[in-house]
């Protein structure tokens, strides 16, 4: 039982694939803003090349005009100028105070750290001094004991030697 491409299971898949292809549009979707011809495309590119810098220049001009208007309203009268100067002075005072606080805080932190390190070093030196003095006392006592022992032995030997010398004579 040989099946041909148009019969059997293959025929069903081919037909199914064919029906899905028919549902799709024949061409891909196009954007309606894209020009249809090359001339239109070139024209659109040329327009953009001119319009982009013009638009950017207009935005810069608007920003500049708005800034100048803002400055003229602030500084148009003597009172406005004085008000702005006071505002700048307050801001300067605030910045100076913040800086001074930061310097004091840093100095305090540094001094605290320095004191802690100094105490630690002094404590270590004190402990080492006590340990050294204790060792010196222990060694001194040991030397004194050995000296006393040596003195008594020498005296004993001298006494024995004198006894032997007097018995021989």
């Amino acid at each position: 039982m040989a099946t041909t491409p148009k019969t059997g299971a293959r025929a069903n898949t081919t037909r199914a694939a064919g029906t899905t292809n028919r549902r799709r549009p024949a061409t891909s979707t196009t954007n309606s803003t894209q020009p249809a011809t090359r001339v239109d495309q070139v024209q659109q590119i040329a327009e953009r090349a001119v319009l982009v810098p013009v638009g950017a220049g207009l935005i810069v001009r608007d920003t500049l005009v708005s800034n100048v208007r803002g400055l003229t309203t602030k500084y148009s009268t003597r009172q406005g100028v004085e008000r702005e100067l006071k505002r700048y002075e307050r801001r300067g005072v605030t910045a100076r105070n913040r800086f001074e606080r930061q310097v004091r805080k840093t100095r305090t932190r540094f001094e605290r750290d320095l004191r802690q390190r100094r105490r630690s070093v002094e404590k270590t030196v004190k402990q080492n001094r006590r340990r050294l003095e204790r060792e010196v006392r222990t060694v001194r006592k040991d030397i004194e004991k050995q000296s006393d022992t040596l003195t008594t032995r020498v005296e004993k030997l001298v006494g024995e030697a004198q006894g032997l010398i007097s018995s021989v004579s």
Side-chain angles (χ1 to χ4, degrees):
M1 246 181 144
T3 58
T4 62
K6 297 289 181 180
T7 61
R10 284 187 174 175
N12 290 340
T13 56
T14 305
R15 270 188 241 124
T19 57
T20 57
N21 285 341
R22 282 188 219 127
R23 288 184 191 150
R24 288 189 197 145
T27 60
S28 64
T29 59
T30 58
N31 193 352
S32 61
T33 60
Q34 288 194 353
T37 65
R38 289 206 183 263
V39 174
D40 291 338
Q41 288 177 347
V42 170
Q43 183 181 357
Q44 185 181 21
I45 290 171
E47 284 178 2
R48 289 180 79 189
V50 171
L51 293 177
V52 166
V54 169
L58 289 172
I59 289 174
V60 168
R61 180 192 65 88
D62 292 344
T63 305
L64 182 64
V65 166
S66 130
N67 287 339
V68 168
R69 280 191 186 141
L71 289 174
T72 56
T73 56
K74 282 184 184 179
Y75 301 113
S76 61
T77 64
R78 180 184 174 114
Q79 293 164 345
V81 171
E82 288 177 354
R83 180 178 36 227
E84 287 301 310
L85 288 176
K86 285 181 182 178
R87 183 172 155 238
Y88 297 152
E89 183 181 5
R90 283 193 307 268
R91 186 158 184 201
V93 167
T94 302
R96 182 196 63 203
N97 291 342
R98 185 177 299 134
F99 176 73
E100 287 175 352
R101 270 195 307 273
Q102 185 179 2
V103 166
R104 280 193 304 267
K105 194 185 304 182
T106 304
R107 188 175 113 209
T108 304
R109 189 179 306 131
F110 177 77
E111 289 173 347
R112 183 183 321 125
D113 188 41
L114 187 65
R115 279 192 305 270
Q116 288 173 351
R117 289 173 190 239
R118 183 182 300 140
R119 278 189 222 119
S120 174
V121 167
E122 288 173 351
K123 181 180 176 184
T124 305
V125 166
K126 198 178 223 180
Q127 288 173 348
N128 289 342
R129 180 180 293 144
R130 283 186 202 142
R131 192 176 300 139
L132 178 67
E133 288 173 353
R134 192 178 321 124
E135 291 293 325
V136 166
R137 278 193 300 267
T138 305
V139 168
R140 182 179 290 148
K141 285 179 184 177
D142 288 345
I143 289 175
E144 286 175 359
K145 284 180 183 177
Q146 290 176 1
S147 172
D148 290 342
T149 306
L150 185 62
T151 304
T152 50
R153 281 187 181 175
V154 167
E155 288 174 354
K156 185 177 176 183
L157 286 174
V158 167
E160 290 175 2
Q162 284 177 351
L164 285 175
I165 293 175
S166 57
S167 64
V168 173
S169 7

